[in-house]
Amino acid sequence: MTAVTELTARALLLDMDGTLVNSDAVVERCWRDWAARHGLDGDEVMKVVHGRQGHASMALLLPDRPMAENHAENREMLARETADMDGVVPVPGAPAFLASLAGLPHALVTSADVALSTNRMAAAGLPMPDVRITAEDVAASKPDPEGFLKGAAELGFAPADCVVFEDSGAGIEAGLAAGMRVVGVGSRAAAYGPTVCVGDLTGVRVAAGAGGGLRLVFG
């Protein structure tokens, strides 16, 4: 963890996969199968896919392929992932973390679509935040900041007043590009320069702060 031990905010914007929900088993199965079908190295593919919408990952991995093919294959990928909940579990500390946010301003900002995010949160036994920004709500995938900016606007707060929770390079880049501070969650996060990094959500405490704000304590 970095030296930062406390942050204040007005609202929190939460990624799903790798941040609240551990879906790595499903992601590995689906994307390694996809890599094999296209003659790509599975390890290299896995370095790209976390945090992005599927069609955006495909565009990076198969740069000469028409985007229409990427979107079509992404629909197939989403259907497979939505039907496969084997091994989907909460990130350690996620249930208590979300419970502590009850009544406090927060939103889910995910590259998953509505169906996939609904199924994965349910499979992990986690409550869905009242405000949710999904793939259907944005024109550009992370690392573009659009999703986080829309989440902040939906909650009614300026970007500088929001703190993002993210695990992936694409997500951390998106949060920082939105002008927000970022809490990196998990082993992937530290390499991408978040404001603070935690191993999982057991090391985060949230409380109401002065003037209606939020106080985040790490460690």
Side-chain angles (χ1 to χ4, degrees):
M1 191 175 70
T2 66
V4 177
T5 59
E6 188 171 316
L7 292 173
T8 57
R10 306 287 293 179
L12 304 183
L13 302 175
L14 313 174
D15 173 55
M16 182 181 71
D17 292 302
T19 301
L20 299 174
V21 174
N22 182 345
S23 57
D24 281 358
V26 180
V27 174
E28 290 268 347
R29 280 195 294 274
C30 292
W31 280 99
R32 286 187 182 276
D33 283 352
W34 181 88
R37 290 200 306 274
H38 291 283
L40 299 175
D41 182 87
D43 291 341
E44 293 304 311
V45 167
M46 295 313 302
K47 293 177 184 178
V48 171
V49 300
H50 291 290
R52 292 181 172 86
Q53 292 185 40
H55 62 79
S57 295
M58 292 172 188
L60 289 173
L61 292 161
L62 297 173
D64 297 327
R65 192 167 77 159
M67 278 305 298
E69 292 186 32
N70 295 334
H71 282 284
E73 202 165 35
N74 184 49
R75 287 190 289 272
E76 297 173 5
M77 179 73 78
L78 283 170
R80 178 179 175 184
E81 289 185 288
T82 301
D84 185 355
M85 293 294 123
D86 187 21
V88 174
V89 295
V91 166
F97 174 71
L98 283 173
S100 73
L101 298 184
L104 301 175
H106 67 286
L108 190 74
V109 180
T110 176
S111 294
D113 63 6
V114 168
L116 182 57
S117 59
T118 298
N119 283 16
R120 281 188 177 164
M121 290 289 281
L126 299 175
M128 182 66 71
D130 292 338
V131 176
R132 171 171 46 161
I133 304 297
T134 65
E136 293 93 338
D137 298 314
V138 298
S141 171
K142 299 171 185 175
D144 191 282
E146 181 185 4
F148 288 124
L149 292 172
K150 283 197 169 184
E154 186 74 17
L155 292 172
F157 294 98
D161 291 328
C162 298
V163 168
V164 165
F165 280 71
E166 263 285 1
D167 73 300
S168 70
I172 291 167
E173 183 179 341
L176 294 174
M180 302 172 183
R181 292 153 295 158
V182 179
V183 177
V185 180
S187 60
R188 286 189 291 265
Y192 301 105
T195 311
V196 59
C197 195
V198 294
D200 56 41
L201 295 173
T202 60
V204 184
R205 298 191 303 281
V206 183
L214 305 175
R215 182 168 168 260
L216 308 176
V217 181
F218 307 103

